[in-house]
Amino acid sequence: MELVTRRRLVGAALLSGGALGAAALGLQLLREKAPPVAGLRVLSAAQHRTMALVALTHIPPGGPFGWSAADVDVAGLFDQFLADQPASDQRDAGVALDLVDLGPLMFERRWTTFTALTPDQRLAHWQAWSVAPQATRREIWQSLARFTGMAVYDQPGAWPHIGYRGPSLARRTGPEQGP
Amino acid sequence: MTITDCSQSSGQPDDMRCEVAIVGSGCGGATVARVLAEAGRDVLLIEEGGDFVGPQRLTQRDLSMYDQLYADRGARTTADRTISVLSGRVLGGGGVINACDVVPVHEAIWRYWHTIHGLQQWSPQAMAPFVARALQDLSATAITQDQVNRNNQILRQGAQAMGYTGELMHHNRQGCVGLGTCLIGCPLGAKRNPRMVAIPKAITAGARVLVRAKVVQISAADRPDKTLLVRALDPKGYHETSTFRVQAKRIVLAAGPVGTTTILAASGLGNDRLGRGLSLQPQVAVVAQMPDIVNAFDGIPQSFALTQFERNDEKTGLGGYRIESIFGTPGILGSLVVQPGIEGKAAMAALPYVAACLVLVPDEPVGQIGQTWSGRPRIDYTLSEEWKTRARAAVKTAMRCFLAAGARQVMVASAPPLVVHSEKELAQVDGLSFAPASIGLISAHQQGGTPISARPDAGVCDPDGQLWGTPGVYVCDGGLFPTSSSTHTMAPILTLGHFLGAKWAATWGKT
Ligand SMILES: Cc1cc2nc3c(=O)[nH]c(=O)nc-3n(C[C@H](O)[C@H](O)[C@H](O)COP(=O)(O)OP(=O)(O)OC[C@H]3O[C@@H](n4cnc5c(N)ncnc54)[C@H](O)[C@@H]3O)c2cc1C
Ligand code: SF4
């Protein structure tokens, strides 16, 4: 998966202007240190935290059913997925997650990061990425949203809430012959 | 059955020799392997995917199956991320994960290629025996009334209410019990696909088959003995573990439009048309909220097609549009939700009441396959204004059908979602911009990239499927079509496989 092209990422970074870029760099140094996560193969702890919060924003607890991204280690699965992808994809994914975290500063000129927002602010900010004027932001949104949706709803815990009765062969033949 | 798995230490091959090396085991490669092996040729079929048969391997779970059965782990898209470019990466290729719809090339399209594109051998009469062989391989039969699930019934009812014509499709299932997971493989083996038909026949006739073996380059293409550089892969197909070489008198590339173009580009072969003329046939999903339970998860996903607006024209080729019901499994459906937060969860909670369809809108071959700076495939594709206009008309037709069948609301999963409740709101569809990465489109029928042409300046392969200017290197996959062949490509590609396989078997000198 070539998450976003390098050219577009550079373009997006430039979009916000040199001064903001420098501010972003400063903020990156300032932002609260993410607690270490054992066993990460590609993502940094900060990127892992961003991905976990993206997933939680995309599929939060509450609403019509309790099952949510909090029940699945989406960020861990993303790290695992990336570990078997080419190095260029790994780098792009990391840059994309950093861009999401710095999104409030770079695209809304707010002196804060995505991970520091409240859940409601995060939802509003994340939603804005899906319709952002910059194609790169929409591309990143598509990639991360798709991965999250696949990871959360592929789990048996989600199925009773969405009317899916589970892999049909297992239902027909009994669990011993099923997957 | 002898299939050598190159990811196993016992399967790690030394350098090999054969008369014909065929790269890719989909509808094109498997068919040619079988025809040539049955004609007594020494065939080696090389496939980068794994061999997935039966419930232990085909688990009906999205995450692992998209990862293992699809090219680029299911994540291949156009460079602007607007179109998911889906194709198989498994022994048997796309036939293993497709929806089993059998729609051969219409006679008008053969005539179009014959007269407008100057392909003398592609007349309906000359092709008829090969179409028949393809349909025989597929055991093609009409889907019966009792196999039509509620999701398909709804589209059909809506179409009837609107006075639109449609049909129950032909398919290649035998012994299907309606598990509904066709798009991530049939654990019962009910699909009469290349894995179940052509490959066993090829092996019986003496062909050797390698899986988890990725061809990266052709060298010495100008010599009588050509060399393929092949990488053995690990059991999941993620990483290359070792390298070996295959020497062959003739090479047939059947790795699909993207795979074949990539190998040729890496080998410095093909003319300046290579990678061009790509048709993706982008599809748009339309989703309806019905008042009663639909339970679209169960049963054959696609059985009814609204065909009224399809155009097979001998002067202009394939046009118009076609509408077919569709559904998927929870993971893939969850990945398509465009509303973040509680709203998205509400959409998922409503799935039992959802009916869905795809509008299939054939395109002009305007795309291009190239390479990224790291040598991986890059697919550039810009939707034409004419395509967008037709797609909007198709979306409106699908929405009208659902509304006529009683839908409370109908939607296109664009960002923001386009939601319509009544005929008078349909005008909103005109605002569907199709801007890059604002909507998830799907391509399941890639064609072109190495098109056949009557002249070297108009395509990449000659009418015999041989690369212009490179004797002994051939192509046999969807990449050969000069324009869109049909709204479904399995039967058309099998037809090409029979046609070219028979021709090659008859004309290649014995070695
Ligand atoms: C989700 C989906 C649903 C579809 N539904 C239908 C349908 O209902 N009806 C219909 O008619 N068509 C359908 N199609 C389309 C149809 O299945 C394909 O067009 C057809 O199978 C393509 O055949 P092919 O031989 O051109 O290539 P493929 O089937 O793509 O085969 C190419 C093979 O080459 C292998 N390969 C690639 N690169 C290399 C390499 N470097 N080395 C070794 N091996 C390599 C790949 O792993 C793959 O197995 C569908 C396709 C998809 C993806
Ligand atoms: S509907 Fe089920 S049984 Fe039938 S082919 Fe598809 S997966 Fe197999």
mmCIF file of all heavy atoms in Angstrom, chain B residues 173 176-182 186 190, ligand 2:
data_model
loop_
_atom_site.group_PDB
_atom_site.id
_atom_site.type_symbol
_atom_site.label_atom_id
_atom_site.label_comp_id
_atom_site.label_asym_id
_atom_site.label_seq_id
_atom_site.Cartn_x
_atom_site.Cartn_y
_atom_site.Cartn_z
ATOM 1 N N ARG B 173 -21.021 -21.408 -10.892
ATOM 2 C CA ARG B 173 -21.054 -22.178 -9.641
ATOM 3 C C ARG B 173 -21.692 -23.535 -9.886
ATOM 4 O O ARG B 173 -22.643 -23.651 -10.653
ATOM 5 C CB ARG B 173 -21.873 -21.444 -8.574
ATOM 6 C CG ARG B 173 -21.333 -20.080 -8.174
ATOM 7 C CD ARG B 173 -22.267 -19.430 -7.173
ATOM 8 N NE ARG B 173 -21.822 -18.096 -6.788
ATOM 9 C CZ ARG B 173 -22.153 -16.978 -7.422
ATOM 10 N NH1 ARG B 173 -22.925 -17.024 -8.500
ATOM 11 N NH2 ARG B 173 -21.716 -15.811 -6.991
ATOM 12 N N CYS B 176 -23.307 -24.847 -5.280
ATOM 13 C CA CYS B 176 -23.289 -23.658 -4.406
ATOM 14 C C CYS B 176 -24.415 -23.767 -3.379
ATOM 15 O O CYS B 176 -25.531 -24.125 -3.714
ATOM 16 C CB CYS B 176 -23.478 -22.420 -5.275
ATOM 17 S SG CYS B 176 -23.864 -20.935 -4.354
ATOM 18 N N VAL B 177 -24.070 -23.471 -2.109
ATOM 19 C CA VAL B 177 -25.114 -23.472 -1.082
ATOM 20 C C VAL B 177 -25.394 -22.049 -0.597
ATOM 21 O O VAL B 177 -26.012 -21.862 0.445
ATOM 22 C CB VAL B 177 -24.738 -24.392 0.106
ATOM 23 C CG1 VAL B 177 -24.616 -25.836 -0.347
ATOM 24 C CG2 VAL B 177 -23.446 -23.934 0.776
ATOM 25 N N GLY B 178 -24.900 -21.075 -1.314
ATOM 26 C CA GLY B 178 -25.227 -19.690 -0.987
ATOM 27 C C GLY B 178 -24.528 -19.156 0.249
ATOM 28 O O GLY B 178 -25.103 -18.408 1.025
ATOM 29 N N LEU B 179 -23.260 -19.519 0.431
ATOM 30 C CA LEU B 179 -22.533 -19.031 1.611
ATOM 31 C C LEU B 179 -22.337 -17.518 1.566
ATOM 32 O O LEU B 179 -22.202 -16.879 2.595
ATOM 33 C CB LEU B 179 -21.162 -19.694 1.719
ATOM 34 C CG LEU B 179 -21.125 -21.207 1.962
ATOM 35 C CD1 LEU B 179 -19.685 -21.691 2.043
ATOM 36 C CD2 LEU B 179 -21.860 -21.571 3.240
ATOM 37 N N GLY B 180 -22.268 -16.975 0.358
ATOM 38 C CA GLY B 180 -22.228 -15.514 0.227
ATOM 39 C C GLY B 180 -20.852 -14.876 0.343
ATOM 40 O O GLY B 180 -20.746 -13.661 0.339
ATOM 41 N N THR B 181 -19.807 -15.665 0.449
ATOM 42 C CA THR B 181 -18.472 -15.058 0.609
ATOM 43 C C THR B 181 -17.629 -15.195 -0.656
ATOM 44 O O THR B 181 -16.399 -15.259 -0.589
ATOM 45 C CB THR B 181 -17.702 -15.695 1.787
ATOM 46 O OG1 THR B 181 -17.635 -17.109 1.576
ATOM 47 C CG2 THR B 181 -18.360 -15.404 3.105
ATOM 48 N N CYS B 182 -18.282 -15.227 -1.795
ATOM 49 C CA CYS B 182 -17.566 -15.426 -3.067
ATOM 50 C C CYS B 182 -16.351 -14.502 -3.201
ATOM 51 O O CYS B 182 -15.332 -14.910 -3.760
ATOM 52 C CB CYS B 182 -18.492 -15.167 -4.236
ATOM 53 S SG CYS B 182 -20.028 -16.078 -4.163
ATOM 54 N N CYS B 186 -14.427 -19.309 -2.154
ATOM 55 C CA CYS B 186 -15.482 -20.256 -1.801
ATOM 56 C C CYS B 186 -14.863 -21.467 -1.102
ATOM 57 O O CYS B 186 -14.188 -22.276 -1.744
ATOM 58 C CB CYS B 186 -16.221 -20.723 -3.053
ATOM 59 S SG CYS B 186 -17.476 -21.942 -2.639
ATOM 60 N N ALA B 190 -17.134 -24.417 -4.849
ATOM 61 C CA ALA B 190 -18.279 -24.465 -5.763
ATOM 62 C C ALA B 190 -18.058 -23.656 -7.041
ATOM 63 O O ALA B 190 -18.875 -23.714 -7.944
ATOM 64 C CB ALA B 190 -19.524 -23.953 -5.048
HETATM 65 S S1 SF4 C 2 -22.255 -18.238 -2.680
HETATM 66 FE FE1 SF4 C 2 -21.044 -19.393 -1.216
HETATM 67 S S2 SF4 C 2 -21.132 -21.540 -1.808
HETATM 68 FE FE2 SF4 C 2 -21.774 -20.241 -3.502
HETATM 69 S S3 SF4 C 2 -19.882 -19.886 -4.632
HETATM 70 FE FE3 SF4 C 2 -20.128 -18.136 -3.306
HETATM 71 S S4 SF4 C 2 -18.964 -18.727 -1.534
HETATM 72 FE FE4 SF4 C 2 -19.313 -20.595 -2.645
#
